[in-house]
Amino acid sequence: MTYPSYPSPPKRGPLPWLIATAVVLAIALVVAVVLIVMNDGSDDSATPAAASSTETADAPQTAPAATTTAEPEPQAPVAGAYVGAGGPRPAGAEPLPTYTGSYTKLLSAHLMTPTGGIACDFNSPDQDDRQGQCGVRSMNTTNSPLGTEVIGGTTKGKWLFQFSGNKVGAPVGSTGTTGWMNAPGEGYQVPRVEYGKVYFFEDWVIASETNGLTVWNTETGSGVFLSNEKVETFNGPGQPGPATTTATTDTIVLGAPQSNGRGYGAEQPTEIHLGGASSTSHMQNIAWTDWGSDPATGTGIGNYQPPGKSGIYRESGVPGSVVAFAPGTCGGKRAYTKIVYFFPSKGEQFDPGNAIDICTPR
C-alpha cells in the first residue's frame, strides 16, 4: 500500500529564540523605564519642596519689634535727701575752692550752708585715711538727738559725721572747733554754698537744698543727709544706713514735765503752764501748726503782763502765740528744748533771745 508523501517540516534555526529573547528584554526594559519614571516623579515632587524650603529660609525675615525697658527714675536714698545721691557725680557740679594746708600739706576745702547751721571740712586722705567731716551746729549740745559721749570727763553731744576710707562714719562729739567755725587761714574764705546747686571735692559730692545738705562719695555711695530736723546716713542709691545713726521726728514732745506745770513733756498739748507763780506762762486752747517741724507754732489765749507794769495791769484771755524749737532730747525723749511766749496783738513778735529752756524741770 502506498502512502502519500508529505513535505518534511522545516528545521528550526536560532532566529525564533533571538526574537523571544528580544521580546523579553524589551519587556524588561519597559518595566525598568516605568520604574525609573516613577522614581523620577517621586524625586521631582520632593525637589520643589526642598527648593521651597530653601527659598523660605533665604527670604528676608521681619525682625521682632525691639522691646525697650524704661530707665528707673532716680530716687532719694533717704527721705529729704538729694535725688540721685549715692550715685555718680551730677553733671554741672561745681568744684569747691581749695587750698593746701601749711601744716597738714593736704589739699583741703570747706563749706557752710547759707544760714551757717550746717557745714563741712574736706581734705585729701591723711596718713590715717581721714578725709574730713560734716555736722549740724544745733546738735552740738548734750540734748543731741544723736546721743552723747564722754570726752575728757565731759559729756558731749554727738553731732559730727567723720569721713574715712571714702565712707561716712557714725556720729561723734568734739572738744574743739572745725575749720569752718574759724577761718582756716591760708587766705581761704569759707564759701557759703547756694541752695539748688551741687559741688564737689575729689570723690565727695555736696548738694545744697533748702531742706538740708546731702553729702556722698562717688566711689562707695556712702553718704549722709543733714538737716536741723534729722540726720541720716545711707549706703548708696536707695540704701539707708544703720538706724543707729538716724534721728527722726516721728514723735516729739514739748520739753520735760514741769513741777506743778501743765502740758510739758506731752505731744501737742492744748494747755501749757510752767507752774509756780509764773502765770504769764499759762496758755490754753492752743492749736499747733507744723508739729514735728522746727519750729512748731501754736496759737491760743493767755495772760499778758505789760512790760514794767505790776500785776494789777495783767490781762487775761489775750490772744497769744508760742513757738517751740531747737529739737533735742529731754529725759531720754525727743523733745523741743526751747519755747517763746509772745502776744502779736500787743505788738510783740517772736524773739529767740526771749527763749525759755523747757528741758530742765523747775
Side-chain angles (χ1 to χ4, degrees):
M1 180 175 195
T2 303
Y3 293 93
S5 60
Y6 294 94
S8 299
K11 294 183 179 180
R12 294 185 179 186
L15 182 58
W17 294 102
L18 290 175
I19 293 172
T21 301
V23 170
V24 170
L25 291 176
I27 292 172
L29 179 61
V30 170
V31 171
V33 169
V34 170
L35 290 176
I36 290 172
V37 169
M38 291 177 64
N39 288 338
D40 287 344
S42 173
D43 291 343
D44 289 345
S45 64
T47 301
S52 174
S53 174
T54 302
E55 291 171 1
T56 302
D58 292 340
Q61 301 294 316
T62 302
T67 57
T68 58
T69 303
E71 290 293 329
E73 292 291 330
Q75 300 292 322
V78 295
Y82 179 82
V83 173
R89 187 171 75 202
E94 301 178 12
L96 286 174
T98 61
Y99 69 99
T100 300
S102 58
Y103 174 74
T104 65
K105 306 301 181 184
L106 299 173
L107 189 67
S108 305
H110 309 275
L111 64 84
M112 284 192 293
T113 55
T115 63
I118 304 172
C120 303
D121 298 325
F122 295 99
N123 58 259
S124 297
D126 65 9
Q127 60 183 5
D128 297 316
D129 211 17
R130 291 175 298 190
Q131 297 166 288
Q133 59 191 352
C134 286
V136 182
R137 287 193 182 191
S138 64
M139 296 182 182
N140 185 17
T141 70
T142 54
N143 295 321
S144 172
L146 301 172
T148 61
E149 62 179 324
V150 177
I151 302 176
T154 303
T155 300
K156 297 286 186 180
K158 296 179 179 180
W159 65 290
L160 286 170
F161 287 78
Q162 297 184 324
F163 309 146
S164 179
N166 292 330
K167 293 184 178 181
V168 177
V172 299
S174 175
T175 56
T177 59
T178 60
W180 44 267
M181 284 184 171
N182 300 304
E186 321 296 334
Y188 185 86
Q189 296 296 318
V190 178
R192 290 186 181 251
V193 292
E194 297 181 44
Y195 292 138
K197 287 193 174 183
V198 181
Y199 302 82
F200 70 92
F201 173 84
E202 296 187 344
D203 293 327
W204 293 95
V205 179
I206 309 96
S208 176
E209 298 177 290
T210 55
N211 61 316
L213 194 75
T214 308
V215 182
W216 75 94
N217 186 276
T218 56
E219 290 294 316
T220 63
S222 177
V224 60
F225 171 69
L226 307 106
S227 72
N228 289 321
E229 288 73 37
K230 72 169 187 176
V231 180
E232 193 167 358
T233 60
F234 53 89
N235 296 320
Q239 299 182 44
T244 53
T245 63
T246 301
T248 65
T249 58
D250 293 339
T251 300
I252 189 168
V253 298
L254 186 65
Q258 304 295 316
S259 177
N260 298 317
R262 299 175 193 171
Y264 286 94
E267 291 186 62
Q268 300 192 65
T270 58
E271 182 180 12
I272 57 175
H273 196 325
L274 287 173
S278 181
S279 61
T280 55
S281 70
H282 188 201
M283 189 79 71
Q284 56 188 334
N285 299 334
I286 303 172
W288 294 93
T289 58
D290 299 326
W291 186 266
S293 299
D294 184 18
T297 302
T299 56
I301 56 174
N303 299 324
Y304 172 70
Q305 176 73 48
K309 299 288 186 178
S310 64
I312 62 173
Y313 293 96
R314 182 180 300 138
E315 300 179 39
S316 300
V318 178
S321 299
V322 286
V323 173
F325 60 105
T329 303
C330 296
K333 292 184 177 181
R334 181 162 173 76
Y336 291 108
T337 63
K338 297 183 183 298
I339 195 170
V340 173
Y341 291 75
F342 60 102
F343 295 87
S345 62
K346 299 298 183 179
E348 295 181 346
Q349 59 185 1
F350 172 68
D351 181 358
N354 294 328
I356 301 171
D357 179 3
I358 54 175
C359 201
T360 303
R362 287 165 175 74

